[in-house]
């Protein structure tokens, strides 16, 4: 073979080999990127408070990206300052303990600029950047990436410094941007949860105090109305007697409302662990408690064998009692026919309570689970409008869900998931 042809072929092979090596290196970098993101996503997933999340971010940068340090700042409520929330590395050797938290005005320094512009920055040599703020000691390069939400709102900055110049590359920006985006979602969710919990607590406290304080004056109204009835009925004319009846009726209804509200506000999640509860036993008690109204309405209850679930006994009785009571109370022209079925779904049971009652129009399917939400006036059906709110709270305390499927006029099915 001609030597020239051989050389050309060899060169071509070499070129191809070099190209493949380059491609392989690029895939290796991408794979590393995926691994870092995967490790990060997995480790941050179980964390649900803002504090835990920011510390996990700071720790992870050190663990997976070989950084010397990592600092997470969040923007304060007035959007004036970045507050250092977590720092990991030599500056802060003790976990969860910021020795000297920094506060940087938005627009000032490198992190302040990144918070303002929302654009990531790499500083190859901090000595040449007048914005560099010396914290504990001078470090020669820095990377600063904004934490941006889906709606393009900057809520903080992830920042790292290194003792060498030119330490950070564009690949670090790419990784940190993805990390920052996951972080933003987690932080927003944690904040929403904190807000919700605060609001729930305030609501519960209000409900408890209000219902508790209302009991005493109500008792007084009711007992004086009874005294009037007992001792002065003979001197009351027809109108007077009618007014007195309204008064007693009102007091009775208010008593029902207050009792239900008290029950609702007392349904706290207990510290003790959920117990294994036999639903057959629960149902037996419910059917005994409702014996009278079932018979009176000629109701038929059909049920599959029921399993054991995780919960607290008396709350489970209350849950099923409210649901079955409603299924009878909101009956249609036909006699009530209730079917209780169970589906086994991995870690939980899905229980359905189906009735042939008046049904609920789809636009009310969420509303009925809120306190005091009723679809009928009290002349049509007695009730406080708290029963389903109590059910929802109980089910959620047990780690489950409750919802309804129904069309007006064609019965309702309430679905409940309960842990095994
Ligand atoms: P209450 O029964 O005291 O009114 P609930 O919180 O138990 O309060 O129920 C809220 C509303 O949801 C009821 O007023 C009723 O309009 C509707 N509802 C509940 N259960 C059923 C059912 N099985 N069939 C039809 N409507 C129902």
């Amino acid at each position: 073979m001609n030597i020239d042809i051989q050389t050309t072929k060899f060169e071509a092979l070499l070129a191809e080999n070099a190209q493949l090596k380059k491609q392989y290196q690029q895939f290796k970098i991408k794979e590393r990127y995926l691994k870092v993101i995967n490790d990060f996503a997995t480790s941050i997933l179980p964390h649900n408070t803002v504090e835990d999340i920011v510390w996990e971010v700071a720790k992870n940068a050190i663990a997976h990206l070989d950084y010397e340090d990592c600092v997470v700042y969040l923007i304060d409520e007035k959007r004036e300052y970045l507050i250092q929330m977590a720092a990991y590395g030599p500056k802060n050797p003790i976990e969860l303990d910021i020795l000297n938290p920094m506060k940087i005005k938005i627009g000032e320094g490198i992190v302040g600029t990144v918070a303002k512009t929302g654009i990531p920055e790499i500083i190859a040599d901090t000595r040449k950047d007048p914005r560099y703020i010396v914290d504990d000691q001078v470090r020669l390069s820095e990377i600063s990436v904004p934490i941006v939400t889906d709606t393009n709102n900057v809520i903080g900055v992830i920042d790292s410094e290194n003792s060498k110049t030119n330490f950070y590359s564009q690949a670090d920006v790419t990784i940190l941007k993805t990390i920052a985006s996951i972080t933003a979602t987690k932080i927003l969710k944690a904040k929403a949860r904190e807000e919700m919990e605060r609001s729930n607590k305030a609501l519960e406290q209000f409900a408890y105090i209000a219902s508790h304080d209302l009991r005493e004056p109500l008792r007084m109204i009711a007992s004086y109305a009874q005294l009037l009835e007992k001792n002065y009925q003979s001197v009351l004319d027809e109108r007077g007697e009618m007014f007195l009846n309204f008064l007693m009726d009102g007091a009775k209804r208010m008593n029902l409302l207050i009792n239900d509200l008290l029950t609702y506000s007392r349904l706290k999640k207990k510290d003790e662990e959920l117990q294994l509860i036999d639903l057959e036993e629960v149902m037996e008690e419910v059917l005994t408690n409702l014996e009278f109204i079932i018979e009176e309405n000629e109701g038929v209850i059909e049920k599959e064998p029921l399993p054991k679930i995780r919960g607290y006994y008396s709350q489970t009785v209350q849950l099923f009692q409210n649901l079955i009571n409603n299924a009878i109370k909101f009956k249609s022209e036909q006699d009530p026919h209730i079917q209780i079925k169970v589906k086994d779904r991995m870690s939980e049971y899905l229980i359905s309570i189906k009735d042939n009652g008046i049904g609920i129009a789809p636009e009310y399917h969420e509303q009925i689970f809120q306190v005091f939400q009723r679809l009928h006036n009290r002349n049509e059906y007695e009730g406080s409008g708290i029963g389903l709110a109590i059910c929802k709270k109980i089910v959620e305390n047990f780690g489950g869900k409750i919802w309804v499927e129904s069309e007006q006029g064609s019965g309702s099915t309430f679905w409940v998931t309960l842990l095994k």
Side-chain angles (χ1 to χ4, degrees), residues 71-117:
V71 181
V72 181
Y73 298 88
L74 291 183
I75 294 179
D76 67 354
E77 267 181 32
K78 289 189 185 158
R79 297 196 67 84
E80 282 177 12
Y81 290 96
L82 277 166
I83 314 286
Q84 184 183 336
M85 302 293 292
Y88 214 78
K91 184 184 164 214
N92 258 83
I94 309 162
E95 191 185 343
L96 290 177
D97 186 14
I98 296 182
L99 302 176
N100 190 10
M102 278 186 84
K103 198 172 157 189
I104 299 170
K105 208 166 167 51
I106 298 204
E108 276 178 13
I110 295 162
V111 282
T113 309
V114 169
K116 193 172 173 185
T117 61

Side-chain angles (χ1 to χ4, degrees), residues 254-267:
M254 194 152 170
N255 193 38
L256 180 85
L257 276 175
I258 288 177
N259 280 340
D260 281 357
L261 198 54
L262 260 179
T263 308
Y264 177 79
S265 61
R266 278 178 182 153
L267 280 176

